[in-house]
Amino acid sequence: GESVGLHLPTLSVQEGDNSIINCAYSNSASDYFIWYKQESGKGPQFIIDIRSNMDKRQGQRVTVLLNKTVKHLSLQIAATQPGDSAVYFCAENYGGATNKLIFGTGTLLAVQP
Amino acid sequence: DTEVTQTPKHLVMGMTNKKSLKCEQHMGHRAMYWYKQKAKKPPELMFVYSYEKLSINESVPSRFSPECPNSSLLNLHLHALQPEDSALYLCASSQEGQGARTGELFFGEGSRLTVL
């Protein structure tokens, strides 16, 4: 289930299940949307991105969906593995001449064996 | 080589000290970034350098002073910090220029700063 408040929102799933992590973004002018994974003690690691003129993009075991109407982004992870346990951040590239990535609130994915 | 290297990994400093954080990349990237991250929070953008010139300053207090001596190096000079500045400071780099806009930043592991 999910919990919010003083703690990081958490999604707990069983190993082998599919995971869906959601994110709301704020800037209608953003041209790229990105998902990053951050493991404990490490910097964020790029997972997948999607351009604003697309609504779906697939990678290896991951799919990103973009709904511009409601400013919503989701990351689907197929067959979740213990190694997927981490904090996941969505980010939006604000546009303009330089990459300006603004991160959203993270979600802690906890994979139960 | 696809690494961004940050030094030191840990730094403890007093409020009257002057210290620097360093970042290095050898991927030929021409954009470099500083982010600040508090526990259980997302990284917050501080500065962006593009082709060694400061292009974005997110209204960061002047006690943080960035420097980009060349295309591979990025420094963050720290002076008269406050305890609330204690955080993980992340450096990142990316390709820049026409056709390079995506969202793929390469992050270092960060420098964990504690201000006493």
Side-chain angles (χ1 to χ4, degrees), chain B:
Chain B
D1 187 1
T2 56
E3 268 194 359
V4 175
T5 304
Q6 291 188 242
T7 56
K9 291 193 185 306
H10 299 275
L11 177 63
V12 179
M13 60 186 292
M15 290 189 284
T16 58
N17 291 159
K18 283 186 181 181
K19 297 285 185 183
S20 296
L21 305 180
K22 298 184 183 303
C23 176
E24 189 170 4
Q25 58 88 15
H26 295 289
M27 293 178 279
H29 291 167
R30 303 306 297 271
M32 296 188 77
Y33 311 75
W34 281 115
Y35 280 83
K36 172 183 176 180
Q37 186 176 28
K38 296 277 227 180
K40 300 190 190 304
K41 296 292 186 182
E44 295 175 28
L45 182 64
M46 299 175 73
F47 303 105
V48 182
Y49 273 83
S50 176
Y51 294 94
E52 294 100 71
K53 290 190 179 352
L54 183 65
S55 63
I56 296 176
N57 176 344
E58 291 285 279
S59 302
V60 179
S62 59
R63 58 186 185 269
F64 295 91
S65 175
E67 179 196 19
C68 190
N70 60 55
S71 60
S72 299
L73 294 174
L74 186 66
N75 299 322
L76 186 62
H77 303 297
L78 314 170
H79 174 54
L81 296 193
Q82 304 296 310
E84 58 264 29
D85 296 321
S86 298
L88 182 68
Y89 288 84
L90 292 161
C91 174
S93 70
S94 73
Q95 294 184 10
E96 187 68 334
Q98 192 174 14
R101 286 191 59 77
T102 58
E104 187 168 11
L105 269 57
F106 292 80
F107 281 86
E109 296 199 340
S111 292
R112 186 161 299 282
L113 174 67
T114 302
V115 182
L116 300 177

Side-chain angles (χ1 to χ4, degrees), chain A residues 34-49:
Chain A
I34 313 97
W35 282 99
Y36 280 84
K37 172 186 181 182
Q38 188 173 24
E39 296 175 281
S40 181
K42 295 189 175 182
Q45 179 183 12
F46 173 90
I47 300 173
I48 190 169
D49 64 3

